[in-house]
């Protein structure tokens, strides 16, 4: 029986496109606060950089620092353009009152979007400083240059930065930023900082705790601690709460309720934890969801086409059997960030609200809180703190709203820090997905037919951030997060890629790389299976089939194979296998990996990893390598360990003891080669996730001669 999509069903019932649009429009009339999506401009960049009275250049960062190294990289770029040492660049994670509205730090776009603009702003400011110095000194601006301590002429400092900064502020205009010609991409020989390995920004404070970096470092006068009372089951509702036993706990300050919202506050963390233990909650359980039920909801089954959303449909797939016909399964998984969500909220005497939080989207937090409390947006200030791991999880407003509600109800500054159980139970997760891939190659080992059909829970249009009306409206639109990474990089005369997004009774959403992690694993698993079916080396089959426009992908694939000694690898061993995989992230960055996996009584173990990575211009090699290594370790977890279990309507894990993650003992020596295939920087944060997982599972398949069809291997 052919499937009937929601759009087709409505059309069959007489709902034309206009009616669908009207329905969507009606739902959007109740539109919730939306995150800002405007790309940064020269006007924004003009406000980011200035020379301060202490003779230091202050760079206001509009992007969150979560370990990816954007803070150090932007300082390196500004230092090169200004011609000063990196120590003279002070980076500030500005609150929302100090910088123009900026969009979220997601999609590995921070350096790509802001790095070139910082270079332009710095180049414009360098010229402005020379002009001002020329005016003061009555010298030609062309005879001046910026040195370590100030403006130089004839090799000597003639005007210090402190003297320049003490005067009227030196500002650059939008037009000057737009017209500036930075050396970042024009003159590689002039770089002193860009391309140099630098340690992470604030690394000393991370180790010593010398000043507040993370939200939990914030202490405010009169601050108390709060926690929200949540249903234990997915979709459960709280009927009643009895906090009478909590009154015996020293430090317990009270239970606060506002409609369906309920939370406790206490003067100490320990008192809060004890009060939560003594709380009596009467709850109506939600539906009895479990892991198998979720998998069944996304099961692509025997789909041979006619899924709701088409991504690519070229050529004739024909009716002949395919060389490979696979059904692959990816389970629900958690972000498992080390730092749990934390927020501190304080209402001022003027009714304004201040919030400290580690978020990927400070302006979305600001706007959401302003709308929630009926405040002008200028009355809410969000202090963006360093994040201890985000991976897409910090893109919605959660602990921030809880802290603000408890601050409003209790009349005190409140810190809310989620427990690990809260992270699993109340957070959103990577959706499960199911993939059917059929693929064939010709006698020369080139892919000729490709059909990938898959079903997944939502990523962007998620119930974690949308109410029922908006969920209904977006049900007619393909979720772009689900689709990411599904179009293969291989040329074939006949290709069809299609999918359906499925609403699930568990909150799902952005997880590292959005759909790219799952889709790339499925693609690279199928290519490897095809090579085995045709008796070809998987490297050779890939090189024969990579589309001609993807020369940079070919470059990283050949580099990774060379690094690992792929051609000379041991073969046909029962206790060791080698796997290879590659991929493109967002059409901007390329990665390929080779994994060596051994089998012992305790299970599979990755014993070698090699990765070649091309994200264009590399600003800070150490930070990019760290990003690649993090992605590869994540790939080990995705391949061998991570699955978020659901049983009896509840998320099962309560701690990291219940949710296996790769430990140091699971990580081999990793060799990374960085290739600069373009003069501009692109994204590095999530790129290697497109190849790490498949390299590991393809190594297992090479060892066992069986395709890994479900993740994680050790638990499937």
């Amino acid at each position: 029986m052919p499937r009937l999509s929601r759009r087709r069903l409505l059309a069959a019932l007489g709902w034309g496109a206009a009616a669908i649009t009207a329905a969507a429009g009606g739902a959007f009339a109740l539109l919730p606060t939306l995150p800002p999506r405007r790309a940064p401009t020269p006007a924004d960049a003009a406000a980011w950089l200035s020379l301060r009275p202490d003779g230091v250049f202050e760079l206001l960062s509009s992007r969150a620092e979560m370990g990816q190294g954007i803070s150090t990289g932007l300082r390196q770029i500004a230092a090169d353009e200004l011609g000063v040492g990196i120590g003279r660049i002070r980076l500030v994670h500005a609150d929302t009152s100090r910088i123009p509205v900026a969009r979220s730090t997601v999609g590995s776009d921070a350096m790509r979007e802001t790095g070139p603009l910082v270079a332009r702003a710095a180049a414009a400011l360098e010229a402005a400083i020379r002009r001002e110095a020329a005016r003061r000194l009555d010298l030609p601006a062309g005879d001046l240059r910026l040195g370590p301590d100030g403006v130089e002429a004839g090799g000597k400092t003639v005007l210090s930065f402190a003297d320049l900064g003490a005067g009227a502020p030196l500002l650059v205009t939008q037009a000057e930023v737009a017209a500036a010609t930075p050396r970042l991409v024009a003159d590689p020989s002039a770089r002193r900082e860009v391309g140099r390995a630098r340690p992470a920004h604030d690394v000393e404070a991370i180790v010593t705790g010398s000043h507040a970096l993370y939200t939990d470092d914030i202490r405010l006068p009169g601050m108390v601690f709060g926690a929200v009372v949540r249903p234990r089951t997915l979709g459960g509702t709280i009927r009643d709460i009895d906090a009478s036993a909590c009154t015996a706990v020293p430090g317990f300050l009270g239970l606060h309720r506002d409609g369906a919202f309920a939370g406790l506050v206490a003067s100490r963390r320990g008192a809060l934890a004890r009060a939560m233990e003594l709380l009596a909650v009467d709850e109506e359980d939600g539906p009895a969801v479990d892991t198998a039920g979720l998998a069944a909801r996304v099961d692509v089954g025997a789909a041979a086409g006619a899924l709701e959303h088409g991504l690519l449909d070229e050529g004739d797939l024909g009716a002949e059997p395919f060389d490979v016909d696979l059904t692959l399964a990816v389970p629900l998984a958690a972000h498992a960030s080390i730092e749990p969500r934390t927020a501190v909220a304080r209402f001022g005497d003027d009714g304004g609200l201040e919030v400290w939080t580690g978020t990927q989207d400070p302006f979305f937090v600001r706007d959401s809180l302003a709308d929630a409390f009926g405040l002008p947006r200028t009355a809410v200030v969000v202090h963006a703190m360093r994040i201890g791991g985000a991976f897409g999880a910090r893109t919605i407003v959660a602990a921030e709203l809880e802290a603000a509600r408890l601050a409003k109800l209790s009349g005190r500054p409140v810190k809310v820090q989620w427990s690990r159980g809260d992270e699993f139970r109340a957070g959103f997760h990577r959706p499960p997905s199911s993939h059917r891939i059929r693929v064939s190659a010709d006698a020369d080992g080139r892919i000729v037919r490709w059909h990938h059909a898959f079903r997944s829970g939502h990523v962007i249009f998620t119930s974690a951030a949308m109410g029922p009306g908006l969920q209904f409206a977006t049900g007619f639109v393909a979720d772009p997060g689900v689709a990411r990474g599904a179009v293969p990089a291989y040329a074939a005369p006949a290709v069809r890629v299609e999918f359906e997004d499925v609403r699930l009774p568990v909150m799902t959403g952005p997880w590292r790389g959005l759909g790219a992690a799952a889709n790339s694993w499925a693609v690279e698993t199928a290519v490897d299976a095809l090579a085995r079916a045709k008796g070809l080396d998987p490297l050779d089959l890939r090189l024969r089939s990579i589309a001609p426009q993807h020369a940079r992908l070919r470059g990283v694939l050949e580099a990774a194979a060379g690094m690992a000694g792929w051609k000379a690898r041991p073969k046909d061993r029962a206790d060791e296998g080698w796997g290879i995989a590659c991929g493109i992230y967002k059409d901007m960055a390329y990665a390929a990996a080779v994994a060596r996996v051994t089998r012992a009584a305790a299970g599979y173990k990755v014993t070698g990893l090699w990765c070649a990575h091309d994200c264009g211009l590399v600003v800070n090699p150490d930070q990019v390598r760290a990003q690649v290594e993090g992605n590869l370790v994540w790939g080990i977890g995705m391949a061998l360990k991570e699955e978020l279990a659901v049983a009896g309507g509840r998320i099962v894990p309560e701690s990291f003891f219940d949710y296996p993650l790769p430990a140091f003992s699971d990580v081999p020596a990793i060799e990374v080669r960085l290739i600069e295939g373009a003069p501009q920087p692109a994204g590095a944060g999530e790129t290697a996730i497109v190849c790490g997982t498949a390299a590991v599972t393809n190594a297992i398949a090479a060892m066992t001669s069986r395709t890994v069809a479900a993740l994680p291997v050790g638990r499937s």
Side-chain angles (χ1 to χ4, degrees), residues 232-309:
R232 294 183 297 270
T233 59
L234 298 166
T237 55
I238 293 175
R239 289 187 292 238
D240 192 25
I241 303 173
D242 180 2
S244 57
C246 303
T247 57
V249 179
F252 172 69
L253 298 175
L255 166 68
H256 296 278
R257 303 197 67 170
D258 180 15
F261 175 83
L264 304 185
V265 293
S267 61
R268 297 177 289 106
R269 291 182 197 270
L272 182 66
R274 181 57 181 154
M276 289 293 286
E277 291 174 353
L278 295 175
L279 206 61
V281 179
D282 178 23
E283 175 181 337
E284 180 174 340
D285 290 347
V289 182
D290 60 18
T291 298
L294 291 174
R297 287 176 183 245
V298 299
D299 185 13
V300 73
L307 295 186
E308 187 170 13
H309 308 300

Side-chain angles (χ1 to χ4, degrees), residues 56-117:
V56 173
F57 294 91
E58 187 171 85
L59 176 58
L60 304 180
S61 177
S62 63
R63 298 304 171 102
E65 176 60 66
M66 44 193 167
Q68 83 277 40
I70 185 66
S71 305
T72 302
L74 294 181
R75 290 175 67 210
Q76 290 177 275
I77 290 172
D80 262 4
E81 297 296 336
L82 288 164
V84 302
I86 192 172
R88 199 166 282 279
I89 310 295
R90 177 171 60 229
L91 186 129
V92 175
H93 289 286
D95 66 55
T96 51
S97 69
R98 296 191 63 192
I99 55 174
V101 174
R103 64 183 180 189
S104 56
T105 306
V106 296
S108 304
D109 281 335
M111 180 57 74
R112 184 180 68 84
E113 289 193 338
T114 63
L117 279 173

Side-chain angles (χ1 to χ4, degrees), residues 61-414:
S61 177
S62 63
R63 298 304 171 102
E65 176 60 66
M66 44 193 167
Q68 83 277 40
I70 185 66
S71 305
T72 302
L74 294 181
R75 290 175 67 210
Q76 290 177 275
I77 290 172
D80 262 4
E81 297 296 336
L82 288 164
V84 302
I86 192 172
R88 199 166 282 279
I89 310 295
R90 177 171 60 229
L91 186 129
V92 175
H93 289 286
D95 66 55
T96 51
S97 69
R98 296 191 63 192
I99 55 174
V101 174
R103 64 183 180 189
S104 56
T105 306
V106 296
S108 304
D109 281 335
M111 180 57 74
R112 184 180 68 84
E113 289 193 338
T114 63
L117 279 173
V118 166
R120 284 184 177 277
L125 184 57
E126 189 268 349
I129 288 174
R130 284 193 294 108
R131 287 196 302 271
E132 174 62 15
R135 185 189 66 80
R136 293 190 191 187
L137 300 171
D138 195 21
L139 291 172
D143 292 348
L144 304 176
R145 62 182 296 273
L146 271 61
D149 301 316
V151 176
E152 295 181 347
K156 296 181 179 178
T157 300
V158 293
L159 194 59
S160 72
F161 288 128
D163 289 338
L164 281 161
L170 278 173
L171 303 175
V172 291
T173 66
Q174 171 186 349
E176 289 171 331
V177 173
T181 304
R183 290 173 289 188
L184 178 67
V185 297
D187 186 6
S189 65
R191 297 174 192 157
R192 293 171 296 112
E193 281 294 338
V194 171
R196 179 177 179 179
R198 283 285 188 183
H201 184 69
D202 274 335
V203 66
E204 182 178 344
I206 293 171
V207 175
T208 65
S210 59
H211 61 270
L213 285 178
Y214 299 95
T215 307
D216 197 35
D217 297 332
I218 298 298
R219 302 285 188 274
L220 300 179
M223 187 184 80
V224 297
F225 298 87
V228 171
V229 183
R230 309 180 195 280
R232 294 183 297 270
T233 59
L234 298 166
T237 55
I238 293 175
R239 289 187 292 238
D240 192 25
I241 303 173
D242 180 2
S244 57
C246 303
T247 57
V249 179
F252 172 69
L253 298 175
L255 166 68
H256 296 278
R257 303 197 67 170
D258 180 15
F261 175 83
L264 304 185
V265 293
S267 61
R268 297 177 289 106
R269 291 182 197 270
L272 182 66
R274 181 57 181 154
M276 289 293 286
E277 291 174 353
L278 295 175
L279 206 61
V281 179
D282 178 23
E283 175 181 337
E284 180 174 340
D285 290 347
V289 182
D290 60 18
T291 298
L294 291 174
R297 287 176 183 245
V298 299
D299 185 13
V300 73
L307 295 186
E308 187 170 13
H309 308 300
L311 287 175
L312 186 62
D313 191 358
E314 297 176 349
D316 182 8
L317 291 174
E320 302 83 10
F322 287 78
D323 293 329
V324 166
D325 187 343
L326 297 173
T327 300
L328 309 171
V330 179
L332 192 73
H335 294 91
S337 309
I338 292 176
E339 180 200 30
R341 290 168 176 82
T342 308
V344 177
R346 175 175 65 186
F347 281 90
D349 295 337
D350 60 355
L353 173 61
E354 278 188 287
V355 171
W356 290 258
T357 180
T359 174
Q360 293 175 253
D361 202 341
F363 283 94
F364 183 42
V365 173
R366 184 200 68 169
D367 296 353
S368 297
L369 295 179
D371 292 350
F373 292 96
L375 295 171
R377 291 182 175 179
T378 54
V380 180
V381 175
V382 175
H383 303 267
M385 308 298 292
R386 189 182 179 98
I387 307 173
F391 319 124
R394 308 300 178 88
T395 49
I396 66 172
V397 184
E400 299 88 354
L401 180 58
E402 295 171 352
R405 295 186 78 169
L406 285 173
K408 189 74 172 179
L409 291 167
S410 68
R412 300 168 183 248
V414 173

Side-chain angles (χ1 to χ4, degrees), residues 489-491 545-552 554:
Y490 303 101
S545 298
I546 288 175
Q549 66 269 30
H550 298 316
R552 291 170 70 186
R554 178 182 297 274

